[in-house]
Amino acid sequence: MSSVAITKDTYLMWYELMLLMRRFEEKTGQLYGQQKIRGFCHLYIGQEAVLAGAVSALRHEDSMITTYRDHAHALAKGTSPGAIMAEMYGKATGISKGKGGSMHMFDKENHFYGGHGIVGGQIPLGAGIAFAEKFKGTDNLNVCYMGDGAVRQGALGETFNMAALWKLPVIFVCENNGYAMGTSVARSTADIDIYKLGLPYGIPSSAVDGMDPVAVHNAMDEAAQRARAGEGPTFLEMRTYRFKGHSMSDPQKYRTKEEVESYKAKDPIEIVKQEIEKNGYADEKWFEEIAAKIKGQVDEAVKFAEESPWPEASELYTDVYVQSDYPYIRES
């Protein structure tokens, strides 16, 4: 039973947040094509309901850690769009001072801990953050996101065992968008029901419709209640879909246009919009105002990134070690 009610305000928040993610990522794709953003870049378009449904069931103090497909997670946790865009530009005003780029964003104030380029590398780290919360005696939890390809890493089994043994307050979420880069789950997985990987460890595990924020909200809320009650981890397989390629360099030859279009018909933003209209939660003027507001936010983020300074060369030697006078830092 959900402890956090889904109300009119929830639907309005979902729509606005998902539209911000979508427009921000669309602009990111355009800027990448213009070579304003360089390096690797992975868009979240299509998967927005996984985050919208999560934040409505969680507290701001709950932390998140994720993969390199991380722009939308930072937005969902409250990071400034300008700081995210500046980070992708490599500017000094970026959320990681321009040193992380698209794949390595951190925002300690908003309890967002990356942004990890090593596939599956964030899984044990998520459990470690949860261990810290338990050790400190808080009732905060960690949500540890991973892709369907990351569940093949050996660290998953090791982490699941420790998290279950120590009853850590962590929600493991597999964002199963059907493809690990260009390899379908069916080609790489003996059992395509990924959620079953948690069952041998005694972890409550289930599959969730990741295109539906209501289903995501309810599953996350139940998992959060368990974590806060000291009952340990939960593993949720969010079955979702990315409308774009794995990265900006992906030619997408491994799937048909018909398959992509069939999932676009389940676009979570359009489904939430229809629900808002059906229930009379908002009129067309509200949708127009939200669209204009978000366009303004994205345009302002780009302007901020464009006008921000590049990092000084001396920044190469900062943020390397916690100890400022560590002996292996080169003297100027």
Side-chain angles (χ1 to χ4, degrees):
M1 194 69 183
S2 180
S3 67
V4 183
I6 297 173
T7 65
K8 167 187 170 180
D9 289 342
T10 311
Y11 273 96
L12 298 181
M13 182 277 286
W14 283 343
Y15 182 81
E16 183 173 348
L17 177 59
M18 289 196 292
L19 193 65
L20 174 61
M21 294 178 196
R22 180 69 57 88
R23 297 292 177 257
F24 187 91
E25 292 288 64
E26 288 170 348
K27 178 57 72 173
T28 297
Q30 291 173 12
L31 294 166
Y32 192 89
Q34 296 168 15
Q35 297 190 335
K36 296 290 183 71
I37 295 171
R38 300 182 181 232
F40 293 104
C41 185
H42 307 79
L43 303 182
Y44 200 71
I45 294 172
Q47 300 183 205
E48 294 90 351
V50 174
L51 283 171
V55 296
S56 58
L58 300 171
R59 303 173 186 167
H60 182 256
E61 294 76 19
D62 296 327
S63 60
M64 281 187 186
I65 191 168
T66 190
T67 70
Y68 42 75
R69 195 183 305 277
D70 62 348
H71 319 149
H73 296 76
L75 286 171
K77 283 300 288 170
T79 305
S80 155
I84 298 171
M85 190 64 76
E87 186 58 41
M88 289 192 284
Y89 268 63
K91 296 296 186 74
T93 54
I95 195 64
S96 296
K97 302 182 185 178
K99 300 178 181 184
S102 168
M103 300 202 299
H104 304 99
M105 297 187 185
F106 290 77
D107 185 353
K108 185 179 178 182
E109 265 187 42
N110 286 302
H111 312 285
F112 178 62
Y113 298 114
H116 292 267
I118 297 174
V119 176
Q122 77 281 6
I123 300 173
L125 296 178
I129 295 167
F131 178 88
E133 296 290 3
K134 184 169 184 174
F135 184 82
K136 290 187 292 185
T138 76
D139 67 346
N140 301 330
L141 58 89
N142 175 262
V143 187
C144 178
Y145 291 92
M146 66 199 78
D148 46 271
V151 300
R152 303 287 147 245
Q153 296 291 343
L156 179 110
E158 297 167 353
T159 303
F160 275 16
N161 182 61
M162 286 190 288
L165 180 65
W166 296 334
K167 295 191 181 302
L168 300 183
V170 56
I171 304 172
F172 297 107
V173 177
C174 173
E175 296 189 89
N176 180 7
N177 58 32
Y179 297 93
M181 295 185 70
T183 304
S184 72
V185 171
R187 289 187 59 203
S188 62
T189 310
D191 189 338
I192 61 171
D193 292 323
I194 288 175
Y195 74 91
K196 292 179 182 177
L197 291 171
L199 299 178
Y201 302 93
I203 297 175
S205 308
S206 60
V208 181
D209 181 358
M211 305 299 280
D212 178 9
V214 175
V216 175
H217 173 99
N218 289 332
M220 292 294 288
D221 181 67
E222 182 180 348
Q225 288 184 64
R226 291 192 65 257
R228 296 193 212 284
E231 296 173 10
T234 300
F235 180 42
L236 301 174
E237 178 195 347
M238 300 288 178
R239 293 177 175 174
T240 183
Y241 199 81
R242 52 174 163 79
F243 297 166
K244 300 294 184 180
H246 168 73
S247 70
M248 290 298 296
S249 59
D250 181 2
Q252 303 186 63
K253 294 181 178 179
Y254 48 85
R255 59 184 185 179
T256 65
K257 290 180 180 177
E258 291 76 19
E259 178 184 303
V260 177
E261 290 305 314
S262 72
Y263 277 95
K264 284 185 177 179
K266 305 173 187 175
D267 188 332
I269 298 177
E270 288 304 312
I271 290 171
V272 167
K273 181 179 182 182
Q274 290 166 15
E275 198 67 21
I276 290 170
E277 292 172 332
K278 185 178 80 174
N279 289 289
Y281 291 156
D283 57 17
E284 193 57 37
K285 183 183 177 185
W286 182 85
F287 287 110
E288 291 172 0
E289 288 173 349
I290 291 299
K293 175 184 174 182
I294 287 170
K295 183 181 185 304
Q297 287 177 311
V298 174
D299 289 347
E300 185 59 36
V302 175
K303 184 174 185 288
F304 177 75
E306 290 276 359
E307 295 177 354
S308 291
W310 297 103
E312 296 291 334
S314 60
E315 279 293 311
L316 281 169
Y317 304 106
T318 65
D319 304 312
V320 180
Y321 299 101
V322 172
Q323 184 180 327
S324 60
D325 60 346
Y326 198 76
Y328 296 111
I329 295 179
R330 196 177 86 177
E331 292 184 10
S332 56

